Amino acid sequence: MLKNRIRVLSVLSKKLHIFKTSEQKMKKTNIIFLFIVCSVLCSASYFIMNWVYGNQIKKDNTISKQENQQSVSVNLTPQASPKPTPTFDQAKSDKFTNTAKFLAGMNVDSKSPLSQFQKNESWQDHRRFFDNTWSKLENQQLTKVRKWSQQELKQINYKSIFYPFSGPDFLYAYSFFPKGNKYVLVGLEPVGSLFDLASLSESKRDLKLQEVRGSLYAILRFSFFLTNEMKVDLQKQGVLPILYVFLARTENRILDVQQIGLDTDGKVQPFQKGMVSGVKMTFVPKGKSQADTLYYFSTDLSDDGLKKRPEFKKFVGQLDNKVTYLKAASYLMYYETFSDIKKLILTQSNYVLQDDSGMPFKAFDNSKWNLNLYGNYTNPIGLFANRYQADLRKVYITNKSIKPLSFGVGYKFGVNDSNLMLAEAKKTQKP
């Protein structure tokens, strides 16, 4: 019995061993199968990743080549860094610019309230006057002035143009010095008030147009304002309409117009009673993005006047890299009563461009200034005959290298009668 049990256990043990062995073989087989599957999947993943990554590398290389080509192109053709576009109120800018164009006899934007008035015969006559007059002015004067400036003033590095005794003559300041970013005009004529042409009656609007034509007659024909007539013409309307016209006709977009004054430190502030009266006009020249500024101040530049307004001298002293321009200045700085403004110009200007009505020739010390003369000098007009300069005449006679002028400017506006002098302060020269 016992033997039988032992035999049965022995058989069962063998069968169990066979079963375990079979189970181990199955597990081993399964493990091998799983290993093979994992290997295949890993290989496939590796292949896919390489394929994707390879394509990305090619794409990156292509982009990199394109960027390098662009970089090379930029390096081969250097470009000026873009200037920031000024921020401004679009509606206000449109109104100021269209007002200027309407006064200048130029077509306004079709959406402007002023467009409806351009059909009137009075405005059509105004436009014809300007088209005819401006065309002649361009051919006889302005084109030649700009060409002369490009040739003779190209070496001048300037930012601010100071134009005392100018009245509202932005036109010639801008024609001679188109690269400035600040234009400072000074005269005795009032600024005038801001106005809305569209809200005026037809008769008052037509009167504005007549006033503009009357005020501009002399400068468009002779290159300067007649002082006595200007006092009468601009006493009521102020200089603002004239500045509008010149900005429009020189293709500038007006961004803003502000009535300003100067505080005791010579800083520009919103106008308050008792301040030096002025106007600030921000504009952008055609083809540019950087805004420039035109200032006009109504103030007395005599010694007594500057004594009462020391803030104006402080304002002028804060202008960067100044060039002073003087034209048809009534020979005022020949008098001792205008010695302070003369001293201010001579001590603070890097360059001075003037005709003989500005400062006397002898005011420019040879040890401090380099002088270049242009055109012809014989004698002043009859009204200023007592301001004849024998020393200047002698230089024009003896110096055969003086270049002629192809245009007339100043009191003697004939082409062969005008003169200009460019003075460069030796302090500005590089060693």
Side-chain angles (χ1 to χ4, degrees), residues 83 145-146 148-162 172-184 288 292 319-325 348-353 422-423 428:
K83 296 179 180 179
V145 168
R146 289 192 292 265
W148 183 87
S149 173
Q150 291 169 3
Q151 293 174 346
E152 302 298 331
L153 305 182
K154 61 183 178 182
Q155 81 278 14
I156 291 182
N157 178 26
Y158 62 90
K159 292 183 179 179
S160 305
I161 295 86
F162 178 46
Y172 278 87
Y174 189 70
S175 297
F176 276 112
F177 304 102
K179 297 180 181 179
N181 59 22
K182 287 182 182 179
Y183 298 83
V184 180
K288 296 183 180 180
D292 298 329
L319 297 174
D320 293 332
N321 215 356
K322 286 189 292 293
V323 55
T324 296
Y325 177 48
Q348 295 192 12
S349 300
N350 292 337
Y351 299 89
V352 176
L353 179 67
L422 175 63
T428 65

Side-chain angles (χ1 to χ4, degrees), residues 133-144 146 406:
T133 305
W134 208 269
S135 177
K136 292 179 180 178
L137 184 67
E138 274 288 337
N139 293 330
Q140 297 173 5
Q141 286 285 110
L142 301 183
T143 300
K144 296 176 182 179
R146 289 192 292 265
S406 62

Side-chain angles (χ1 to χ4, degrees), residues 271-302:
F271 178 75
Q272 294 181 12
K273 188 176 180 180
M275 287 182 166
V276 174
S277 176
V279 64
K280 175 183 177 182
M281 306 180 80
T282 309
F283 65 95
V284 176
K286 183 179 180 180
K288 296 183 180 180
S289 59
Q290 184 66 40
D292 298 329
T293 308
L294 164 61
Y295 295 97
Y296 173 85
F297 291 100
S298 176
T299 194
D300 179 4
L301 294 178
S302 69

Side-chain angles (χ1 to χ4, degrees), residues 14-210:
K14 287 179 180 180
K15 288 183 177 182
L16 182 62
H17 176 73
I18 292 172
F19 175 76
K20 286 182 177 179
T21 303
S22 297
E23 185 178 13
Q24 288 174 351
K25 286 182 178 180
M26 287 180 66
K27 284 183 178 180
K28 188 174 182 180
T29 301
N30 288 340
I31 290 171
I32 293 172
F33 175 76
L34 289 173
F35 176 78
I36 293 171
V37 170
C38 290
S39 298
V40 171
L41 290 175
C42 288
S43 298
S45 299
Y46 179 78
F47 173 79
I48 292 170
M49 289 175 66
N50 275 336
W51 180 79
V52 172
Y53 183 68
N55 284 342
Q56 183 63 41
I57 290 174
K58 290 179 180 179
K59 184 177 179 181
D60 289 344
N61 286 338
T62 301
I63 294 172
S64 178
K65 287 179 180 179
Q66 292 174 346
E67 290 176 343
N68 288 336
Q69 289 173 353
Q70 291 173 354
S71 176
V72 170
S73 176
V74 169
N75 289 334
L76 290 176
T77 310
Q79 308 229 347
S81 56
K83 296 179 180 179
T85 302
T87 57
F88 58 94
D89 186 316
Q90 183 72 48
K92 285 176 65 177
S93 174
D94 290 343
K95 182 177 179 180
F96 291 134
T97 302
N98 285 316
T99 295
K101 287 183 174 181
F102 189 86
L103 291 171
M106 302 169 68
N107 289 326
V108 303
D109 190 282
S110 59
K111 297 178 181 179
S112 170
L114 294 172
S115 62
Q116 60 183 313
F117 305 122
Q118 292 189 312
K119 300 175 184 178
N120 297 347
E121 187 61 29
S122 59
W123 188 86
Q124 290 295 326
D125 289 341
H126 186 72
R127 178 184 62 79
R128 283 188 285 269
F129 165 82
F130 266 104
D131 286 348
N132 180 52
T133 305
W134 208 269
S135 177
K136 292 179 180 178
L137 184 67
E138 274 288 337
N139 293 330
Q140 297 173 5
Q141 286 285 110
L142 301 183
T143 300
K144 296 176 182 179
V145 168
R146 289 192 292 265
K147 182 179 179 181
W148 183 87
S149 173
Q150 291 169 3
Q151 293 174 346
E152 302 298 331
L153 305 182
K154 61 183 178 182
Q155 81 278 14
I156 291 182
N157 178 26
Y158 62 90
K159 292 183 179 179
S160 305
I161 295 86
F162 178 46
Y163 187 3
F165 312 104
S166 62
D169 181 22
F170 172 73
L171 179 61
Y172 278 87
Y174 189 70
S175 297
F176 276 112
F177 304 102
K179 297 180 181 179
N181 59 22
K182 287 182 182 179
Y183 298 83
V184 180
L185 278 54
V186 191
L188 292 174
E189 297 72 33
V191 172
S193 57
L194 302 180
F195 51 87
D196 182 2
L197 280 175
S199 65
L200 297 178
S201 65
E202 184 176 353
S203 60
K204 288 185 177 181
R205 193 164 44 250
D206 290 346
L207 180 60
K208 280 284 184 187
L209 300 181
Q210 293 173 20

